[in-house]
Amino acid sequence: MVLDVVALVLVLIGALLCVIAGIGLLRFRDVPSRLHAATKPQVLGLLLIAVAVALSLRSWTVVASLVPVVLIQLATAPLGAHMVGRQAYRNGTIDEASLVVDELRDAER
């Protein structure tokens, strides 16, 4: 009973984080802000939902199937955000005056 309530709360928090990520993607005005919204809350939301599913079903088979999902998400979300950010820099979409450190300045565009 207690684990089911904890799982429910985790699902609700995870879903709320995913909704916040979606709203951030729509509302933020520049690429770095949108990348931040697309990666951190969404990954944390998925992680919370995966934990909630594992708590609710209480099966090692479910845990074994959720671990690769979470690991792949943790690996691909930052990589995808990095690639989108780099391409936005190359396109000139990112305001270079707003950058604190410009590590790509010397790289070929």
Side-chain angles (χ1 to χ4, degrees):
M1 180 70 180
V2 174
L3 288 179
D4 290 334
V5 172
V6 171
L8 177 65
V9 170
L10 289 176
V11 166
L12 290 175
I13 293 172
L16 181 66
L17 285 171
C18 291
V19 167
I20 289 171
I23 291 171
L25 278 174
L26 293 175
R27 299 288 298 181
F28 288 152
R29 59 183 169 87
D30 58 347
V31 174
S33 298
R34 287 181 176 173
L35 289 177
H36 179 77
T39 54
K40 292 180 182 178
Q42 188 269 332
V43 170
L44 183 59
L46 176 73
L47 182 66
L48 290 177
I49 291 172
V51 169
V53 168
L55 282 176
S56 178
L57 296 177
R58 298 179 193 111
S59 167
W60 288 109
T61 307
V62 172
V63 172
S65 64
L66 288 174
V67 167
V69 170
V70 170
L71 289 178
I72 290 171
Q73 182 67 36
L74 289 174
T76 57
L79 181 64
H82 174 76
M83 297 305 292
V84 169
R86 191 174 182 114
Q87 187 59 40
Y89 181 84
R90 287 181 179 160
N91 289 342
T93 308
I94 293 178
D95 181 21
E96 293 184 25
S98 66
L99 298 176
V100 176
V101 176
D102 190 2
E103 295 178 349
L104 297 175
R105 180 181 307 160
D106 297 332
E108 182 177 330
R109 286 189 177 214

